[in-house]
Amino acid sequence: MTTDQDYREGLDELAAHYKDIITLLGEDPEREGLQKTPMRVAKAMQVLTRGYSMDAHKVLTDALFKEDYSHMVIVKDIDFFSLCEHHMIPFYGKVHVAYIPNGYITGLSKIARVVDIFSHRLQVQERMTLQIRQCIDETLHPLGVMVVVEARHMCMQMRGVEKQNSITTTSEFSGAFSQAKTRQEFMNLISHQTI
């Protein structure tokens, strides 16, 4: 739950801009149903972009453990929501992450937190996929990392081409995942329902 102290500086100014936007769209911001809308939207935008004030590398190092495990660790089906930087309309889906430890592991929930940090910024799916992979690579120094993101983009569904069922898939990999066999093993593992 977000409290008023969780909001960043500039909240009132942001709300004032949203009041102007409502007026420019042809509505009356003083109408009963819209009076509190500028502040609600300002708060929502600060929550949806909270990743700017968070350090993904620190999240991983806060739960770093020495462990002699050298096989694939997969955290799949991590739900995410983000805002497309081109239209500021949501895109959402699932992220699948695998890494092969090189002497150190991190808490499993920390992988999901890294996804949250990068998705809670104005984004494009391609960059978000790369940022997640780079963060894990640079922080854990594993033998390899692979990230697959599957998303639906509201900017394609609500406007423009208006295609309701399209899914965009992006992937990033490094190290041991440069080998097709290792990538295929990961893809096979994330495609099966195991629980």
Side-chain angles (χ1 to χ4, degrees):
M1 189 165 135
T2 307
T3 64
D4 282 346
Q5 61 196 16
D6 293 328
Y7 295 109
R8 302 188 304 274
E9 191 176 327
L11 188 63
D12 290 331
E13 187 178 358
L14 195 55
H17 286 296
Y18 279 113
K19 186 173 182 178
D20 290 341
I21 289 169
I22 290 169
T23 301
L24 290 168
L25 291 174
E27 258 291 1
D28 176 10
E30 298 306 323
R31 184 165 61 78
E32 183 182 6
L34 291 173
Q35 287 176 1
K36 294 182 180 179
T37 298
M39 184 54 75
R40 285 188 193 112
V41 177
K43 286 180 176 180
M45 289 303 289
Q46 283 207 352
V47 169
L48 295 172
T49 60
R50 68 181 179 258
Y52 288 118
S53 60
M54 303 170 96
D55 183 346
H57 296 278
K58 185 175 184 326
V59 165
L60 290 177
T61 57
D62 281 351
L64 196 59
F65 309 102
K66 186 157 183 52
E67 193 63 52
D68 292 329
Y69 182 82
S70 59
H71 296 281
M72 207 178 295
V73 176
I74 299 173
V75 183
K76 70 177 192 173
D77 295 331
I78 303 167
D79 292 316
F80 81 92
F81 297 88
S82 192
L83 289 175
C84 164
E85 69 180 33
H86 300 142
H87 303 98
M88 292 177 69
I89 295 176
F91 68 99
Y92 61 95
K94 295 193 181 294
V95 178
H96 315 287
V97 177
Y99 75 98
I100 300 173
N102 188 14
Y104 289 91
I105 61 170
T106 190
L108 298 175
S109 68
K110 304 308 180 186
I111 300 293
R113 287 196 185 279
V114 167
V115 171
D116 280 348
I117 289 169
F118 290 115
S119 65
H120 282 84
R121 299 177 181 185
L122 299 181
Q123 275 292 12
V124 294
Q125 182 175 334
E126 297 87 344
R127 182 190 317 117
M128 186 180 86
T129 307
L130 175 63
Q131 288 174 330
I132 295 166
R133 197 269 305 153
Q134 284 178 329
C135 178
I136 295 167
D137 251 340
E138 293 167 3
T139 310
L140 300 182
H141 307 288
L143 299 175
V145 180
M146 185 158 179
V147 177
V148 172
V149 179
E150 301 170 299
R152 294 182 183 273
H153 291 252
M154 298 300 285
C155 59
M156 283 184 63
Q157 294 176 320
M158 295 173 64
R159 54 158 301 284
V161 70
E162 295 186 15
K163 297 300 177 203
Q164 306 308 311
N165 298 308
S166 66
I167 296 174
T168 301
T169 303
T170 51
S171 68
E172 267 289 330
F173 56 86
S174 66
F177 289 94
S178 297
Q179 298 173 19
K181 181 180 175 186
T182 309
R183 285 196 310 277
Q184 190 57 53
E185 179 185 351
F186 171 62
M187 296 306 287
N188 289 341
L189 288 168
I190 66 171
S191 67
H192 291 84
Q193 293 297 330
T194 55
I195 297 179

